[in-house]
Amino acid sequence: MLTFPYSPPGARKLEGEVAIGMEIAREYAEDRGHDVKLELVLYVIHGCLHLCGYTDVDDASAAEMRMKNAST
């Protein structure tokens, strides 16, 4: 999954793109034992969090993103 933010940090309107690899989603869903649709939803949420400014560059920020992802 790749995100391409178009709006500047703090902008009132969020603009950007989230690119998702379907084959990777299928593979991960199979490995994790759940439906590919769930995997895709998780990717979309994760990508939107990135567009909102969240990062996962270290353990603490990755844990914060996982918590946000799980709470939706």
Side-chain angles (χ1 to χ4, degrees):
M1 181 209 51
L2 298 171
T3 56
F4 303 95
Y6 298 145
S7 50
R12 294 186 63 167
K13 183 177 180 183
L14 179 65
E15 295 183 78
E17 292 184 47
V18 177
I20 297 171
M22 187 65 182
E23 292 303 315
I24 297 296
R26 279 193 188 110
E27 182 180 321
Y28 275 55
E30 185 177 314
D31 290 347
R32 294 173 178 156
H34 58 247
D35 189 77
V36 69
K37 291 176 188 173
L38 173 60
E39 192 73 18
L40 291 170
V41 167
L42 294 173
Y43 289 3
V44 169
I45 294 168
H46 189 89
C48 288
L49 287 170
H50 276 299
L51 292 177
C52 289
Y54 289 90
T55 65
D56 51 5
V57 295
D58 56 41
D59 291 341
S61 60
E64 181 180 16
M65 282 190 76
R66 278 194 298 278
M67 284 184 53
K68 294 275 186 194
N69 210 1
S71 67
T72 52

